[in-house]
Each structure stands twice: as structure tokens, then as C-alpha cells.
Amino acid sequence: MSLDREIKSKLYFIETWGCQMNEEDSEKLSGMLKTQGYTPTENRDEASIVIFNTCCVRENAENKVFGNLGMLKKQKEKNPDLIIALCGCMMQQKGMADEILKRFPYVDIIFGTHNSYKFPEYLHRVQTDGVQIKEIFDKEAEIVEGVPIDRKSSVKAFVTIMYGCNNFCTYCVVPFVRGRERSRKPEDIIKEIKELVAQGYKEVTLLGQNVNSYGKGLEEEISFADLLRRINEIDGLERIRFMTSHPKDLNIEVIHAIRDCDKLCEQIHLPVQSGSDAILKVMNRHYTKEYYLDLAKKIREEIPDVTFTTDIIVGFPGETEEDFLETIDLVKKVQYDSAFTFIYSRRNHTPADRMENQIPDDIKHDRFNRLVEVVNEGIVASNKAAEGKVYEVLVEGTSKNDETKLTGRTRNGKLVNFDGCKEMIGKLVNVKIVEAKSFSLVGEIIK
Ligand code: 5AD
Ligand code: SF4
């Protein structure tokens, strides 16, 4: 094989859909491939391994995967050695892998969320035996430690602290595809973060579907607040963030930990989903609008600079105009710094899919557009209020087109762009906000 062909046969391309959990799984797949001598490429056409890490939380995420798989057919015909691998949440859905193999028989490897650590073995088997592999574990396996991770940023890193979810919100497939809650041992988490700090990382975001129930089932008795306080002790680490918090489980100990620990950032992702008590009840969320507003108020009293981000669904079965207006009212009261807004999407096997009072698409879209408008008004107002203030910013990188333009975030998560040099990447600088744009801030470094 010529050197050029050999290099090309070592190129891989990963496309990731969905949440930070999937992003982190892809970083692990990339880490495993790099340790085997493979090189990432941004150009799917020149890759010899194409991996799609899929999401099934909403229907449009699934449709994107089908569309992209269709497009790979020609590439496979041109290069029969191309290896196509599929993984992630979509594969964990009953019958999905078989449907895919029927529609797209040229897929080589299918694996699920619980066995992605076995990817190198599957790849080896396909390369040596030319077989097609479909292996999906139904149940969550033991947590596998020590998988190499190829992280995108050199300043901030995602660190998973727990897997799975026990909440069974009636619209959501996550508990079915990611399994029950399992927490990593605190010593494994701390070891990983210390290694990251030794490599120069300054910020970690602790990940889990419901981080506030961290620790259940571990031999050692430890709560999420305890874990936060322990991580806060790590020398050299500058910032700690975490997501996602379920409002019903975010307790006063965690609020106090954020207040007391210098590295814990004043930003909380607190998905509300709806502002209507009736809808929250059928969603199985276990809180009311009043409880949520009280919680936000309590947090603001303890942590004055705190910002909130959230997830909101419109068009859940049975949502009336009055229910929707309750959501709008809540959004106005909380004033989020950012919100992921979703149109309700019917998911197989979930209780909400079986509900009869589904909302027509045109009403869903109309509510979605009205909600986005109100969310954006809040973001613009919050950014405007930052003008003239000085914030500590962690420099994350330079702008793609101009190395003298830096970008970073304040402790409470606001995105700031400012002039500086690339030697500042990874450093904390004080930045005065000179202009609020709609979704970002323009600042100047204060000497
Ligand atoms: N339809 C729309 N949005 C959904 N989410 C989860 N399931 C659905 C669904 N079936 C949203 C929730 C959750 C976020 C990750 O995705 O808001 O917090
Ligand atoms: Fe899904 Fe609810 Fe679990 Fe979040 S808490 S992952 S929305 S079931």
C-alpha cells in the first residue's frame, strides 16, 4: 500500500447528534481510535471509518441519521473498504437496529450506549473477518473506567459523574435507552479531574441526566453536595459547572455548596419543561410552577449573580392555550440566560405517545415561535444589564477567522468576545463589557 493510501485508510469521521453525554461518548470513541493510530478528519468523503453517534430524544434527530445513512450509500459503492458504524441512543430502541439493517444493509457495525467501550474489538473483527456486527446490551453494564478520551477543548472538559435516569418523565426515552442511574466512584472522578488539571485544563462540567441524585447505590455514603465540595479542593482547577439538575432534587445543600465553594460557577441549568401545573403533573415532573419559582428565588437570594438556563417543551398532549400562557408567564418571571426550546415530539413506548389529546402541528409551531420570542427578550435584557460591568472570563480560544479576537465565558456563563493574543488562552482575565449584542457580549480586557 502506498503511504498516501495507508494514511487515508487511517482517517475517521464522527458525527454526533444529541446531548453532552453523546458528545462525551464520541470523545471516547475518538480517544480509542487515536490510541490505535487513526487520525480524525472533518471531511466525511475521505474517511475510511464513518461513525454516527445517534440521538432519539426527538424525531427530527432520527430523521437526520436516516438521511445521512442514505447519502453514505454512494461512498460505500466507491470504496467497499469503508466501514460504517452506528451507535448511541437510537440503537437502544427496540427494533431500530434491525430496521436500519433492512433499509441500509451496507452498515458494518451497530452497537449501543452500554457497550461502546467494545468498539475497538468490533472494528478489528470487521477488518479481519469482514463480518457485520450488531451488538446491543439491553441492560446497563458495569461502569468501565480508563477509556481514553480525545477532548475537543484544551481548557474545559466534560466529566461524566453518573449515567442513566430513573425519572421516567412521560415524554422521554432517555430512561429506556440510557438505563437506570449509576454513579461513578468519587475517587475515579477526582482522579480524572486531577489528571485534567495536570494537562492544563481549567474548567470541568460534571455531567449526568440528574446530577442531584449522585451517590445513590455507591458503597460510600456521599451526596452530590459532598462531591462538589471535594472537587472544589482540587488545586489548579479554576471552575466547576454541572448539568443537568432536576428541580425536584436540587436541594439546599447543593445551593449552599455553590454559595460557599469558590470554584463553583454561578450558573444553573434547571429544566422547567412547562409552567402549567396540570401539564407538569402529566409529564410526571413532581413539582409545581410555584415550587419552581420559589426554588429560583431561594437560589437567587443565596447566590446573587446566578444565571439560569432551562429546557422547555411546547405542545405536550393536552396543553391548552392557558397552560401555554402559564409557561410564558414563568419564563418572564425567571428571565433565563438561555433556553433550549422544543416542540413536543412523539416517542415510541413512552406514556405521552399513548395519550389521545395530541396537539396539532400548526398550534405547536405557533406556540414555539411565541415562546422563542419571549425567551429572546429575556436574554437580550439580561445581556443589556451586563453592559459596563467587569467580569472574570476564562479565555477558551480565538475566533476562527482572526487570532487577535478571543472568546470566553464569564463565571455565570455569558459568552464574551474581546481583543487579545492567543497566549491568553486558558487564562483568567478581567473583561469590561462595552456592548451587549443579542446573544453575546463585546468586552475589553482590564489591565
Ligand atoms: N419531545 C420534545 N422534547 C423532548 N425532550 C425530551 N424528550 C422530548 C420529546 N419527546 C427535551 C426535554 C429535555 C431535553 C434534553 O430534551 O426538554 O430536558
Ligand atoms: Fe428524560 Fe426526565 Fe430523565 Fe431528564 S429527568 S432524562 S427529561 S426522564
Side-chain angles (χ1 to χ4, degrees), residues 67-104:
N68 277 278
L69 272 176
M71 285 193 274
L72 279 183
K73 189 172 185 202
K74 277 219 173 82
Q75 195 173 335
K76 182 86 175 182
E77 279 165 3
K78 252 200 268 163
N79 172 17
D81 292 336
L82 171 71
I83 292 176
I84 302 172
L86 288 179
C87 60
C89 296
M90 210 173 145
M91 302 306 121
Q92 290 293 145
Q93 286 192 298
K94 264 196 211 113
M96 181 58 81
D98 290 331
E99 185 192 329
I100 287 178
L101 288 178
K102 223 190 258 164
R103 283 176 62 186
F104 310 98

Coordinates of all heavy atoms in Angstrom, one line a residue, residues 67-104:
G67 N -31.3 10.2 6.9 CA -30.9 11.0 5.7 C -29.4 10.8 5.4 O -29.0 10.5 4.3
N68 N -28.6 10.9 6.4 CA -27.2 10.8 6.3 C -26.7 9.4 5.9 O -25.8 9.2 5.1 CB -26.5 11.2 7.5 CG -26.3 12.7 7.6 OD1 -25.4 13.3 7.0 ND2 -27.2 13.4 8.2
L69 N -27.5 8.4 6.4 CA -27.1 7.0 6.0 C -27.4 6.7 4.6 O -26.6 6.1 3.9 CB -28.0 6.0 6.9 CG -27.4 5.6 8.2 CD1 -28.4 4.7 8.9 CD2 -26.1 4.9 8.1
G70 N -28.5 7.3 4.1 CA -28.8 7.2 2.7 C -27.7 7.8 1.8 O -27.3 7.2 0.8
M71 N -27.1 8.9 2.3 CA -26.1 9.6 1.5 C -24.8 8.8 1.5 O -23.9 9.0 0.6 CB -25.8 11.0 2.1 CG -26.9 12.0 1.7 SD -26.4 13.6 2.1 CE -26.8 13.8 3.8
L72 N -24.6 7.9 2.5 CA -23.3 7.1 2.5 C -23.3 6.0 1.5 O -22.2 5.4 1.2 CB -23.2 6.5 3.9 CG -22.6 7.4 5.0 CD1 -22.4 6.7 6.3 CD2 -21.2 8.0 4.6
K73 N -24.5 5.7 0.9 CA -24.5 4.5 0.0 C -23.5 4.6 -1.2 O -22.7 3.7 -1.4 CB -25.9 4.4 -0.5 CG -26.1 3.1 -1.3 CD -27.6 2.9 -1.7 CE -27.7 1.5 -2.3 NZ -28.8 1.4 -3.1
K74 N -23.5 5.8 -1.8 CA -22.6 6.1 -2.9 C -21.1 5.9 -2.5 O -20.3 5.3 -3.2 CB -22.8 7.5 -3.5 CG -24.0 7.6 -4.4 CD -23.6 8.5 -5.6 CE -24.7 8.4 -6.6 NZ -25.9 9.3 -6.3
Q75 N -20.8 6.5 -1.3 CA -19.4 6.4 -0.8 C -19.0 5.0 -0.6 O -17.9 4.6 -0.9 CB -19.3 7.2 0.5 CG -17.9 7.5 0.9 CD -17.9 8.5 2.2 OE1 -18.8 9.2 2.4 NE2 -16.8 8.4 2.9
K76 N -19.9 4.2 -0.1 CA -19.6 2.7 0.1 C -19.4 2.0 -1.2 O -18.5 1.2 -1.3 CB -20.7 2.1 1.0 CG -20.5 0.7 1.3 CD -19.7 0.5 2.6 CE -19.6 -0.9 3.0 NZ -18.9 -1.2 4.2
E77 N -20.2 2.4 -2.2 CA -20.0 1.8 -3.5 C -18.7 2.1 -4.1 O -18.0 1.2 -4.7 CB -21.2 2.2 -4.4 CG -22.5 1.4 -4.2 CD -23.7 2.1 -4.9 OE1 -23.5 3.1 -5.5 OE2 -24.8 1.6 -4.6
K78 N -18.3 3.4 -3.9 CA -17.0 3.8 -4.5 C -15.8 3.1 -3.7 O -14.8 2.8 -4.3 CB -16.9 5.3 -4.3 CG -17.0 6.0 -5.7 CD -16.4 7.4 -5.6 CE -17.4 8.5 -5.3 NZ -17.0 9.7 -4.8
N79 N -16.0 3.0 -2.4 CA -15.0 2.4 -1.6 C -15.5 1.3 -0.7 O -16.0 1.6 0.4 CB -14.4 3.6 -0.7 CG -13.4 3.0 0.3 OD1 -12.9 1.9 0.2 ND2 -13.1 3.8 1.4
P80 N -15.5 0.1 -1.2 CA -16.1 -1.0 -0.4 C -15.4 -1.3 0.9 O -16.0 -1.9 1.8 CB -15.9 -2.2 -1.3 CG -15.6 -1.7 -2.7 CD -15.0 -0.3 -2.5
D81 N -14.2 -0.7 1.1 CA -13.5 -0.9 2.4 C -14.0 0.0 3.4 O -13.6 -0.1 4.6 CB -12.0 -0.7 2.2 CG -11.4 -1.8 1.4 OD1 -12.0 -2.9 1.3 OD2 -10.3 -1.6 0.7
L82 N -14.8 1.0 3.0 CA -15.3 2.0 4.0 C -16.1 1.2 5.1 O -16.9 0.3 4.8 CB -16.3 2.9 3.3 CG -17.1 3.9 4.2 CD1 -16.2 5.0 4.8 CD2 -18.2 4.6 3.4
I83 N -15.8 1.6 6.4 CA -16.5 1.0 7.5 C -17.5 2.0 8.1 O -17.1 3.1 8.5 CB -15.5 0.5 8.6 CG1 -14.7 -0.7 8.0 CG2 -16.2 0.0 9.8 CD1 -13.6 -1.2 8.8
I84 N -18.8 1.6 8.1 CA -19.8 2.5 8.7 C -20.3 1.9 10.0 O -20.7 0.7 10.1 CB -21.0 2.5 7.7 CG1 -20.5 3.1 6.3 CG2 -22.1 3.4 8.2 CD1 -21.6 3.0 5.2
A85 N -20.2 2.7 11.0 CA -20.6 2.3 12.4 C -21.6 3.2 12.9 O -21.6 4.4 12.7 CB -19.3 2.3 13.3
L86 N -22.6 2.6 13.6 CA -23.7 3.3 14.2 C -23.8 3.0 15.7 O -23.6 1.9 16.1 CB -25.0 2.9 13.6 CG -25.3 3.3 12.2 CD1 -26.7 2.8 11.8 CD2 -25.4 4.8 12.1
C87 N -24.0 4.1 16.5 CA -24.0 3.8 17.9 C -25.0 4.9 18.5 O -25.6 5.7 17.8 CB -22.7 3.8 18.6 SG -21.8 5.4 18.3
G88 N -25.1 4.9 19.8 CA -25.8 5.9 20.5 C -27.3 5.5 20.8 O -27.7 4.3 20.6
C89 N -28.0 6.4 21.4 CA -29.3 6.2 21.9 C -30.3 5.5 21.0 O -31.1 4.7 21.4 CB -29.9 7.5 22.5 SG -28.9 8.1 23.8
M90 N -30.3 6.0 19.7 CA -31.2 5.4 18.7 C -31.1 3.9 18.6 O -32.1 3.2 18.4 CB -30.9 6.1 17.4 CG -32.0 6.3 16.5 SD -31.4 7.3 15.1 CE -32.4 6.5 13.8
M91 N -29.9 3.4 18.7 CA -29.7 2.0 18.6 C -30.3 1.2 19.7 O -30.5 0.0 19.6 CB -28.2 1.7 18.5 CG -27.4 2.3 17.4 SD -28.2 2.0 15.8 CE -28.6 3.7 15.3
Q92 N -30.5 1.8 20.9 CA -31.0 1.1 22.1 C -32.5 0.9 22.0 O -33.1 0.2 22.8 CB -30.7 1.9 23.3 CG -29.3 2.0 23.8 CD -28.7 0.6 24.2 OE1 -27.5 0.4 24.0 NE2 -29.5 -0.2 24.9
Q93 N -33.1 1.6 21.0 CA -34.6 1.5 20.8 C -35.0 0.1 20.2 O -34.4 -0.3 19.2 CB -35.2 2.6 20.0 CG -35.1 3.9 20.8 CD -36.0 4.9 20.0 OE1 -35.6 5.3 18.9 NE2 -37.0 5.4 20.6
K94 N -36.0 -0.5 20.8 CA -36.4 -1.8 20.4 C -36.7 -1.8 18.9 O -37.4 -1.0 18.3 CB -37.8 -2.2 21.1 CG -37.6 -3.0 22.3 CD -38.9 -3.7 22.7 CE -38.9 -3.8 24.2 NZ -39.8 -3.0 24.9
G95 N -36.1 -2.8 18.2 CA -36.4 -3.0 16.7 C -35.6 -2.0 15.8 O -35.6 -2.3 14.6
M96 N -35.0 -1.0 16.3 CA -34.4 0.1 15.5 C -33.2 -0.5 14.7 O -33.1 -0.3 13.5 CB -34.0 1.2 16.3 CG -33.3 2.4 15.6 SD -34.4 3.0 14.3 CE -35.5 4.1 15.2
A97 N -32.3 -1.3 15.4 CA -31.1 -1.8 14.7 C -31.5 -2.7 13.5 O -31.0 -2.6 12.4 CB -30.3 -2.5 15.7
D98 N -32.6 -3.5 13.7 CA -33.0 -4.4 12.6 C -33.6 -3.6 11.5 O -33.4 -3.9 10.3 CB -34.0 -5.4 13.2 CG -33.3 -6.4 14.1 OD1 -32.1 -6.7 13.9 OD2 -34.0 -6.9 15.0
E99 N -34.4 -2.6 11.8 CA -35.0 -1.7 10.8 C -33.9 -1.1 9.9 O -33.9 -1.0 8.7 CB -35.9 -0.7 11.4 CG -36.6 0.2 10.4 CD -37.2 1.4 11.0 OE1 -37.7 1.4 12.1 OE2 -37.3 2.4 10.2
I100 N -32.8 -0.6 10.6 CA -31.7 0.1 9.9 C -31.0 -0.9 9.0 O -30.7 -0.6 7.9 CB -30.8 0.7 10.9 CG1 -31.4 1.9 11.5 CG2 -29.4 1.1 10.3 CD1 -30.6 2.7 12.6
L101 N -30.7 -2.1 9.5 CA -30.0 -3.1 8.7 C -30.8 -3.5 7.5 O -30.3 -3.8 6.4 CB -29.6 -4.3 9.5 CG -28.5 -4.0 10.6 CD1 -28.2 -5.3 11.4 CD2 -27.2 -3.6 9.9
K102 N -32.2 -3.5 7.6 CA -33.0 -3.8 6.5 C -32.9 -2.7 5.4 O -32.8 -2.9 4.2 CB -34.5 -4.0 7.0 CG -35.2 -5.1 6.3 CD -36.6 -5.1 6.6 CE -37.0 -6.1 7.7 NZ -38.3 -5.9 8.3
R103 N -33.0 -1.4 5.9 CA -33.0 -0.3 5.0 C -31.7 0.1 4.5 O -31.5 0.6 3.4 CB -33.7 0.9 5.7 CG -35.2 0.9 5.8 CD -35.7 2.0 6.5 NE -35.5 3.3 5.9 CZ -35.8 4.5 6.5 NH1 -36.3 4.5 7.7 NH2 -35.6 5.6 5.9
F104 N -30.7 -0.2 5.3 CA -29.3 0.3 4.9 C -28.3 -0.9 5.2 O -27.5 -0.9 6.1 CB -28.8 1.5 5.8 CG -29.8 2.6 5.8 CD1 -30.7 2.7 6.8 CD2 -29.9 3.5 4.7 CE1 -31.7 3.8 6.8 CE2 -30.8 4.5 4.7 CZ -31.7 4.7 5.8

